[in-house]
Amino acid sequence: MDLVQLAAYCIAMLAEYVQEPWLAELRDIYAVPTSGEENQSSQAQSNQDSFPNPGQKRPRFDPRELAKKRAKEAKDETKRIAMAKEASTMRSISSFFAKPNK
């Protein structure tokens, strides 16, 4: 989404809570088209999105690279869990030797 579309989305959300004069002023400030103009521009944008440029290259995803990435993430998660478990046992051991508060 570009900035105009984001502004239009936010103003549309505010429409439930704000009266029409305020919405018109917000549309003027942020240069957002009215709902009729917005529908025409959104239809043109959706038509462009539905027919991608055939000359444009799309990124390829190598399954081996994805598998390596997932394996690394799983390994990192396992390490994080082990470190958290070790840290919790260290706290209980140190609290065992702590001086009791009286």
Side-chain angles (χ1 to χ4, degrees), residues 40-99:
Q40 292 172 354
S41 65
S42 66
Q43 286 177 345
Q45 180 68 26
S46 66
N47 287 341
Q48 289 175 354
D49 291 341
S50 61
F51 300 108
N53 185 357
Q56 184 180 16
K57 292 186 178 181
R58 294 181 297 167
R60 290 187 169 198
F61 297 104
D62 186 13
R64 283 183 250 140
E65 297 228 358
L66 289 175
K68 284 181 187 178
K69 183 179 177 184
R70 288 186 186 133
K72 185 179 183 300
E73 289 173 355
K75 185 177 179 182
D76 290 344
E77 181 68 18
T78 304
K79 281 184 183 179
R80 188 190 64 76
I81 291 171
M83 292 295 287
K85 188 175 182 180
E86 183 178 337
S88 69
T89 58
M90 287 298 204
R91 280 183 285 207
S92 62
I93 290 172
S94 60
S95 67
F96 177 76
F97 291 108
K99 195 177 201 181

Side-chain angles (χ1 to χ4, degrees), residues 1 16 26 28 57 74-75 91 101:
M1 287 184 138
E16 294 181 29
L26 284 172
D28 291 341
K57 292 186 178 181
K75 185 177 179 182
R91 280 183 285 207
N101 294 331

Side-chain angles (χ1 to χ4, degrees), residues 16-35:
E16 294 181 29
Y17 306 104
V18 179
Q19 294 177 355
E20 185 57 39
W22 286 98
L23 289 174
E25 191 166 332
L26 284 172
R27 284 189 197 107
D28 291 341
I29 291 171
Y30 291 104
V32 173
T34 59
S35 60

